[in-house]
Amino acid sequence: MLYWMHREHRCRDNWALIHALDEAKRRGVPCAVAYGLAPSFLGACIRQFGFLLRGLEQTAAELAALGIPFILIRQSPDTAIPELARSVSASLIVTDFDPLRLKRSWVHAVCAAAPCPVDEVDSRNVVPCQVVSGKLEYAARTIRPKIHRLLDEYLDDLPELSELAADVVPWRWQVPAVDWQTLRDGLGVDRTVPEVPAPFGPEPGEDAAGVVLHRFLTERMALYEKRNDPNVAALSGLSPYLHFGMISAQRVVLDTLARNGARRSVAPAEARESFLEELVVRRELADNFCLHMQEYDSWNAFPDWAQRTLDKHRNDGRDYVYDLQSLEAGKTHDPLWNAAQSEMRLTGTMHGYLRMYWAKKILEWSASPEDAVRHAIWLNDRYFIDGRDSNGYTGVAWSMGGVHDRPWQERPVFGMVRYMNYAGARRKFDVDHYVFRMGVLERRMREEGAI
């Protein structure tokens, strides 16, 4: 029995691993976790590969403590996994669900080449993406009732892995040891975007994810209604961990609801409901979009009304036009945008409200909508720790192309796509303070040798 891990990089609260162990126990066969480390992945740099591998090292150690071997192969999984399955006469491969094109192609290739059946398990979404809807959903309002109808059925508590692993037949093949430091040092990936050291960026791994969740529920969720203010520590900070599957969204929901029932819950009901709406409905809407819209990262993903209105304003005069190099360096006339770009470049993260502003300004300052999408996706995948994710691609498509949105008042360049501007940001929060904070952050990172 093989569990091919490629999206859910965790040991705990992992339905795919649970299913693999259940099947191994039922069939009386051993079970191992297999990982095919592709030499490149959608423009990821050492920043993303380093975060992934440092977390994966912890997960492999936790699996080993449970007697579950972790097999890492430095080869693209579409060829590595079928070869491994044949070598151990696997009776079943269990794997993760992922809606991205490259991952779908990997799964299809493994299914075609594997010597045994392949079960795909959606451990990412609380309600499995392909159960919620078999078509492209128009907006949150169309998918929300479908998810809510199924939540009680799928929002189960998760079993303890130690109990499942205890009765599985021991693995009888040799498992090569992984020298994690040598592996990281030897990766032939782009190192011009460095890893982000603590305390300037998130610590990788399942334990760190649990700490971040606990601190959010006990300290920051009470502020969640102020989540659109980048100067308030109101956001969960879970995005990198959810992206890499280092924490289960289902566990986050269960712990949030348990906190909701506690006598001394610190968060008002409205804050908890808003958080769960974004964690469940909005994230699952993003997976639905990327699964059913294969060109999710291009102009072609925009709805017809948005393409028509952007086409109409394609030749509008623009006060500023910036090339990719100027955007990457944060060399624009807008101090807020430059500060947000600096936060992304330095820390691999950006406040959620500013991610929308960031993308919309790229649209406004690009020679064409197609250029805008290409530039935003390139920067997103290169710098964000949680880049190359259905949430990020859907966010760009919403910001630039009205995906999951509606037409608004018509204006130059944007047409009827929702508009955001610097003056509006100043009305929402203290822009000057945010810009000042990013300047202080950069100076501190330089002084401490972090950049």
Side-chain angles (χ1 to χ4, degrees):
M1 183 75 56
L2 291 176
Y3 164 38
W4 166 31
M5 176 185 286
H6 63 83
R7 194 186 191 194
E8 308 309 313
H9 302 104
R10 66 180 181 278
C11 181
R12 299 163 226 163
D13 300 328
N14 186 334
W15 284 119
L17 179 56
I18 290 165
H19 175 58
L21 292 173
D22 272 340
E23 283 294 309
K25 181 178 178 180
R26 185 178 69 82
R27 299 171 188 224
V29 297
C31 180
V33 176
Y35 194 88
L37 182 62
S40 62
F41 187 75
L42 299 178
C45 301
I46 192 60
R47 170 171 294 179
Q48 296 86 13
F49 271 101
F51 190 85
L52 163 66
L53 290 175
R54 291 179 194 281
L56 207 54
E57 180 178 2
Q58 298 173 32
T59 295
E62 188 166 347
L63 287 166
L66 294 170
I68 305 169
F70 181 86
I71 304 168
L72 189 145
I73 307 170
R74 292 193 62 176
Q75 186 180 346
S76 185
D78 51 345
T79 54
I81 299 304
E83 289 174 6
L84 176 61
R86 281 191 291 271
S87 72
V88 299
S89 301
S91 58
L92 178 68
I93 297 171
V94 178
T95 195
D96 303 324
F97 165 78
D98 195 315
L100 300 189
R101 285 189 308 272
L102 179 56
K103 293 292 194 73
R104 301 310 297 164
S105 72
W106 284 356
V107 171
H108 291 154
V110 169
C111 287
C116 60
V118 179
D119 285 355
E120 185 179 60
V121 179
D122 188 346
S123 295
R124 172 58 51 110
N125 298 295
V126 178
V127 182
C129 179
Q130 297 181 82
V131 172
V132 170
S133 176
K135 65 182 182 67
L136 182 68
E137 291 294 330
Y138 183 75
R141 61 179 172 78
T142 66
I143 201 172
R144 186 180 297 110
K146 297 178 180 181
I147 292 173
H148 285 181
R149 277 197 298 269
L150 294 166
L151 266 180
D152 286 344
E153 179 180 350
Y154 283 94
L155 195 57
D156 302 320
D157 203 358
L158 294 109
E160 282 291 331
L161 203 61
S162 57
E163 298 176 8
L164 293 172
D167 299 325
V168 174
V169 175
W171 190 257
R172 62 179 180 271
W173 293 272
Q174 185 175 3
V175 177
V178 179
D179 184 335
W180 293 95
Q181 184 62 52
T182 299
L183 177 63
R184 289 191 295 271
D185 291 345
L187 282 177
V189 298
D190 186 345
R191 295 176 181 269
T192 58
V193 180
E195 295 182 67
V196 184
F200 302 108
E203 288 275 3
E206 296 184 60
D207 289 341
V211 170
V212 171
L213 173 60
H214 177 74
R215 287 178 177 168
F216 171 64
L217 294 178
T218 56
E219 300 171 13
R220 298 197 302 278
M221 185 181 270
L223 302 172
Y224 199 71
E225 290 177 303
K226 300 179 181 179
R227 62 190 177 278
N228 285 337
D229 186 342
N231 295 314
V232 177
L235 300 185
S236 70
L238 290 170
S239 183
Y241 303 106
L242 290 166
H243 165 68
F244 279 106
M246 293 175 182
I247 195 168
S248 160
Q250 188 152 340
R251 171 56 55 203
V252 177
V253 173
L254 290 169
D255 285 7
T256 301
L257 293 176
R259 190 74 193 174
N260 185 19
R263 290 181 181 178
R264 299 175 63 185
S265 176
V266 297
E270 295 81 4
R272 293 191 297 271
E273 289 171 8
S274 296
F275 173 65
L276 292 175
E277 163 76 10
E278 295 186 10
L279 175 68
V280 179
V281 174
R282 302 290 173 159
R283 287 181 72 253
E284 301 203 9
L285 179 63
D287 262 17
N288 170 272
F289 173 67
C290 290
L291 179 65
H292 295 288
M293 175 56 71
Q294 284 299 289
E295 295 181 276
Y296 49 77
D297 53 354
S298 79
W299 153 274
N300 295 326
F302 297 176
D304 290 343
W305 69 263
Q307 289 191 5
R308 286 194 302 270
T309 195
L310 289 170
D311 257 335
K312 178 181 175 181
H313 292 273
R314 177 180 294 275
N315 296 319
D316 288 356
R318 289 155 168 79
D319 293 333
Y320 303 92
V321 175
Y322 296 108
D323 60 19
L324 179 58
Q325 291 70 32
S326 298
L327 293 170
E328 183 179 16
K331 301 294 186 181
T332 79
H333 69 285
D334 182 336
L336 174 58
W337 195 94
N338 295 343
Q341 175 68 11
S342 178
E343 181 179 15
M344 178 183 75
R345 200 173 59 246
L346 295 171
T347 71
T349 62
M350 187 190 295
H351 188 277
Y353 175 83
L354 290 176
R355 286 178 87 148
M356 297 184 290
Y357 181 85
W358 174 84
K360 286 184 177 293
K361 289 298 154 186
I362 295 177
L363 174 62
E364 183 177 351
W365 302 333
S366 295
S368 71
E370 292 87 349
D371 283 352
V373 175
R374 283 193 295 269
H375 293 168
I377 295 296
W378 189 84
L379 291 168
N380 175 85
D381 290 358
R382 180 172 174 79
Y383 285 100
F384 281 128
I385 295 174
D386 65 355
R388 307 147 318 283
D389 187 277
S390 53
N391 266 9
Y393 296 133
T394 305
V396 170
W398 176 88
S399 298
M400 295 184 172
V403 169
H404 303 145
D405 206 358
R406 62 176 177 82
W408 291 71
Q409 180 181 353
E410 193 166 11
R411 64 177 60 246
V413 180
F414 283 81
M416 291 186 287
V417 173
R418 188 193 297 251
Y419 178 68
M420 294 174 71
N421 66 5
Y422 182 80
R426 292 193 73 91
R427 289 192 294 270
K428 283 185 174 293
F429 63 93
D430 187 342
V431 167
D432 294 337
H433 183 59
Y434 172 76
V435 172
F436 171 77
R437 286 176 48 235
M438 291 306 105
V440 169
L441 173 66
E442 181 166 6
R443 287 193 297 273
R444 183 184 165 200
M445 290 183 73
R446 290 192 184 281
E447 289 168 359
E448 297 189 19
I451 54 174

